[in-house]
Amino acid sequence: MASHALVVGAGALGCTALDQLARAGVGRITIVDRDIVEHTNLQRQSLFDEADAHDALPKAVAARNRLARVNSTIGIDAIIADVTPENAESLVAALRPNIMLDGTDNLDTRYLLNDLAVKHAVPLIYAGVIATRGMQLTILPGRSACLRCVFPEPGAAAQVETCDTVGVLGPAVAIAASLQAAEAIRVLAADAAALASRPLPSLTEFDLSSTRFRTIDLGNLHAPAARAHCPCCGERQFEFLSGSRTRPAARLCGSGAFQIHSAAPRTLALPALGSQLARLGPVQANEFFVRLHPREGVELTVFADARAIIRGIETEAEARALYDRYVGS
Ligand SMILES: [Zn+2]
């Protein structure tokens, strides 16, 4: 009850983990997510329903609304944002979470969260799922191996398959996220002595095509001598947090959409933008976003943090061009 969990990503993993943390009574939960609920999410994103997709609610808001009905005794905050090198550290400084859960679906953000966790000494519970397979790893900064100790470069952990090409099985997500929630509850409920005496984390892997589980002992990867060579937790070069490694534009996994950030941080007055864009065609607007269809089959959704998600186009260059034209740079 006295702890605060920061869950980054309210997609498939985040939904299941959030549900379990809220029901367990974690006293304060902050949900950060950048996207909007769509009908295609409902197969695996268990906090949302058809009404949320119909209303095009931001996932962070829809998740908060649902969890508030599950457990009214806890505090739940929703932040509609992408976690980036620009805002990650101020987020942690402002929220001071006791634990972070990685519910994201892209490697840039996953390695960014690893940097953030190690630099600010916040335990990070990682999980990943593709097709029928999943994995889970707990990172205890200063004690255990970090994500880069185990997978030094994003390419090493990357699958050739993506959720665009092979999809994700709903039950695989639920298992990986349940392992995450169980680890989070263990870490939050432990006092310092219990945490110090528990065995260091293993890497858990499973494949539901055969219902096979495997626990990989990370052995000497946890040892300070081994970690000394890790760029993140050994040398403390936080390359993903500093922005030197992060690719600027993102193709959103599984949705055939692009996300474009403003060149410089800024906040948009959505009502003003809505009336400006309404001169060009029908606009859908609410307190969270303004949406326009620049042409048949193309959808541009602009958020208050000057981010846009653009669907129905083929290339990042075209996404940027539409952003510059309608939102301005
Ligand atoms: Zn490391």
Side-chain angles (χ1 to χ4, degrees), residues 146 149 230 233:
C146 80
C149 293
C230 170
C233 69

PDB file of all heavy atoms in Angstrom, residues 146 149 230 233, ligand 1:
ATOM      1  N   CYS A 146      22.053  -6.247 -15.521  1.00  0.00           N
ATOM      2  CA  CYS A 146      21.029  -5.424 -16.151  1.00  0.00           C
ATOM      3  C   CYS A 146      20.722  -5.995 -17.543  1.00  0.00           C
ATOM      4  O   CYS A 146      21.320  -6.983 -17.979  1.00  0.00           O
ATOM      5  CB  CYS A 146      21.444  -3.958 -16.211  1.00  0.00           C
ATOM      6  SG  CYS A 146      22.588  -3.537 -17.541  1.00  0.00           S
ATOM      7  N   CYS A 149      23.754  -6.322 -19.650  1.00  0.00           N
ATOM      8  CA  CYS A 149      24.657  -7.409 -19.253  1.00  0.00           C
ATOM      9  C   CYS A 149      24.246  -8.693 -19.972  1.00  0.00           C
ATOM     10  O   CYS A 149      25.091  -9.501 -20.350  1.00  0.00           O
ATOM     11  CB  CYS A 149      24.581  -7.671 -17.749  1.00  0.00           C
ATOM     12  SG  CYS A 149      25.205  -6.352 -16.707  1.00  0.00           S
ATOM     13  N   CYS A 230      30.042  -3.919 -18.456  1.00  0.00           N
ATOM     14  CA  CYS A 230      28.761  -3.533 -19.063  1.00  0.00           C
ATOM     15  C   CYS A 230      28.747  -2.025 -19.271  1.00  0.00           C
ATOM     16  O   CYS A 230      29.031  -1.265 -18.331  1.00  0.00           O
ATOM     17  CB  CYS A 230      27.604  -3.953 -18.153  1.00  0.00           C
ATOM     18  SG  CYS A 230      26.015  -3.285 -18.677  1.00  0.00           S
ATOM     19  N   CYS A 233      25.554  -0.717 -16.549  1.00  0.00           N
ATOM     20  CA  CYS A 233      25.669  -0.789 -15.086  1.00  0.00           C
ATOM     21  C   CYS A 233      27.114  -0.851 -14.611  1.00  0.00           C
ATOM     22  O   CYS A 233      27.385  -0.616 -13.428  1.00  0.00           O
ATOM     23  CB  CYS A 233      24.844  -1.948 -14.525  1.00  0.00           C
ATOM     24  SG  CYS A 233      25.437  -3.593 -14.901  1.00  0.00           S
TER      25      CYS A 233
HETATM   26 ZN    ZN B   1      24.701  -4.211 -17.031  1.00  0.00          ZN
END
